[in-house]
């Protein structure tokens, strides 16, 4: 039990580091909400190694800490909406037969972007920004594939060493 | 990738293409004017054929600087933390937008035709 809490603490730290690294990489291409989604490596692995509760715990803690450390309060709202939707979808997708980390991660990436765009539309009260959707879908699909691929490689190597 | 994952990937890419087709259809006309909104409220509109500097005071308090030059509008500078609006490409076609989420600013380009339709309603 004690080991599990310590492990989750490490995952929060790892997710925070990824968040910081991500602020250094200009990946948005001038599209609001477009991102690399590196922290999703941590969430996908948590989902497989522990479960949705643990992933949710780390995700929320990561968002609030990152919001206070490198962002502003507004950023927390967008991140939360994207992250919660994405985690719900990934939790469901994990149960699909013949569906692995890559598929789960792709759906996570896509729905993360959809969730954020939806909140953005409400916040600025302008549905025309929905025209960013194709670009966000594309980036969610491609980065989701890449993140899922990395997560699977990591899992294949160290899954047996994780304290569950 | 497993078969189901590959199918998902292909389906999503097809959806992206479809989305781009739709947006290309809506944005095919050149815009004549831009509208500026803060928190959904229109605060001004300017023709794209006159060069101009427009300071915008947004919701979060810091100001953004919009420039109209050579028939296109772009965000020259902004006080927002993410600077995404500054990196957005210049807009000059119908329904193209520049968004500054932290400051709740939307700049939208609108074609002449669209404006007349709005005038009728
Ligand atoms: Zn901005």
């Amino acid at each position: 039990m004690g080991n599990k809490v310590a492990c989750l603490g490490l995952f929060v730290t790892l997710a925070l580091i990824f968040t910081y690294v991500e602020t250094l990489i200009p990946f948005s291409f001038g599209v609001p909400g477009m991102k690399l989604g590196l922290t999703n490596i941590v969430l996908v692995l948590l989902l497989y190694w522990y479960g949705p509760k643990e992933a949710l715990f780390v995700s929320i803690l990561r968002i609030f800490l990152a919001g206070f450390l490198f962002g502003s309060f507004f950023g927390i709202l967008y991140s939360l909406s994207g992250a919660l939707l994405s985690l719900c979808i990934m939790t469901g997708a994990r149960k699909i037969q013949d569906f692995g980390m890559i598929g789960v991660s792709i759906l996570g990436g896509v729905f993360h972007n959809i969730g954020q765009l939806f909140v953005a539309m409400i916040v600025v009260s302008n549905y025309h920004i929905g025209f960013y959707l194709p670009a966000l879908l594309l980036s969610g699909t491609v980065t989701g594939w890449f993140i899922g691929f990395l997560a699977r490689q990591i899992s294949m190597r160290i899954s047996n060493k994780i304290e569950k | 990738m497993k078969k189901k994952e590959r199918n998902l990937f292909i389906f999503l890419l097809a959806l992206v293409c479809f989305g781009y087709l739709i947006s290309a259809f809506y944005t095919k006309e050149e815009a004549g004017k831009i509208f500026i909104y803060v928190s959904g409220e229109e605060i001004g509109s300017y023709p794209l054929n006159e060069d101009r500097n427009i300071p915008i005071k947004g919701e979060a308090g810091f100001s953004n600087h919009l420039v109209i030059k050579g028939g296109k509008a772009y965000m020259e500078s902004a006080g927002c933390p993410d600077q995404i609006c500054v990196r957005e490409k210049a807009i000059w076609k119908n329904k193209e937008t520049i968004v500054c989420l932290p400051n709740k600013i939307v700049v939208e380009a609108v074609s002449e035709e669209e404006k007349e339709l709005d005038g009728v309603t």
Side-chain angles (χ1 to χ4, degrees):
Chain A
M1 177 63 198
N3 274 335
K4 183 183 161 189
V5 172
C7 263
L8 289 182
L10 274 178
F11 282 119
V12 173
T13 316
L14 194 59
L16 270 176
I17 293 169
F18 279 145
T19 307
Y20 177 67
V21 169
E22 196 151 335
T23 62
L24 304 176
I25 306 170
F27 184 77
S28 77
F29 298 111
V31 177
M34 193 180 277
K35 57 191 223 110
L36 198 48
L38 283 176
T39 52
N40 217 31
I41 296 179
V42 177
L43 296 181
V44 170
L45 290 175
L46 278 170
L47 205 54
Y48 275 80
W49 289 343
Y50 297 97
K53 263 193 303 211
E54 286 80 358
L56 182 69
F57 170 76
V58 169
S59 179
I60 289 179
L61 210 56
R62 197 271 310 175
I63 288 168
F64 278 93
L65 287 173
F68 294 129
L69 286 173
F70 340 104
S72 51
F73 191 75
F74 100 93
I76 296 179
L77 177 69
Y78 294 110
S79 302
L80 264 183
S81 57
L84 291 182
L85 182 62
S86 157
L87 203 55
C88 285
I89 299 287
M90 289 199 295
T91 303
R94 223 209 110 170
K95 301 204 174 85
I96 301 173
Q97 285 261 307
D98 293 323
F99 217 61
M101 282 190 183
I102 295 180
V104 167
S105 168
I106 289 175
L107 282 175
V110 164
F111 279 93
H112 186 277
N113 289 351
I114 290 177
Q116 278 194 327
L117 185 66
F118 198 71
V119 171
M121 278 168 150
I122 295 167
V123 168
V124 300
S125 332
N126 186 326
Y127 68 88
H128 286 154
I129 65 170
F131 279 101
Y132 292 112
L133 191 59
L136 289 174
L137 266 183
L138 179 62
S139 84
T141 307
V142 175
T143 60
W145 173 82
F146 172 66
I147 296 299
F149 176 79
L150 287 180
R152 212 180 59 160
Q153 294 299 318
I154 293 168
S155 190
M156 271 156 36
R157 284 166 176 80
I158 64 164
S159 179
N160 55 338
K161 297 192 180 69
I162 296 296
E163 191 92 33
K164 282 171 193 166
Chain B
M1 260 197 281
K2 291 172 182 165
K3 195 169 168 234
K4 268 192 195 164
E5 293 174 321
R6 196 166 48 236
N7 288 347
L8 172 72
F9 192 80
I10 293 165
F11 169 75
L12 286 169
L13 289 189
L15 210 59
V16 168
C17 294
F18 183 65
Y20 272 120
L21 273 177
I22 291 181
S23 71
F25 175 75
Y26 274 101
T27 60
K28 64 180 189 294
E29 290 157 53
E30 260 178 55
K33 224 176 169 184
I34 51 149
F35 287 82
I36 301 171
Y37 303 90
V38 174
S39 305
E41 302 277 317
E42 186 189 323
I43 60 148
S45 68
Y46 303 88
L48 275 171
N49 57 12
E50 290 165 35
D51 290 2
R52 198 190 295 261
N53 281 324
I54 308 156
I56 308 168
K57 190 119 178 91
E59 177 85 3
F62 47 79
S63 53
N64 292 35
H65 220 93
L66 190 79
V67 169
I68 299 177
K69 205 168 147 191
K72 294 182 180 187
Y74 59 94
M75 202 68 87
E76 175 152 275
S77 63
C80 57
D82 60 14
Q83 297 289 302
I84 287 173
C85 54
V86 180
R87 263 179 251 137
E88 282 201 67
K89 67 181 178 69
I91 56 173
W92 58 287
K93 282 177 154 178
N94 188 29
K95 292 226 169 53
E96 284 184 327
T97 52
I98 293 175
V99 182
C100 183
L101 284 178
N103 227 359
K104 298 190 189 172
I105 295 170
V106 177
V107 182
E108 188 174 343
V110 177
S111 72
E112 297 292 331
E113 204 173 287
E114 195 89 5
K115 253 173 17 201
E116 279 158 28
L117 279 176
D118 278 354
V120 175
T121 50

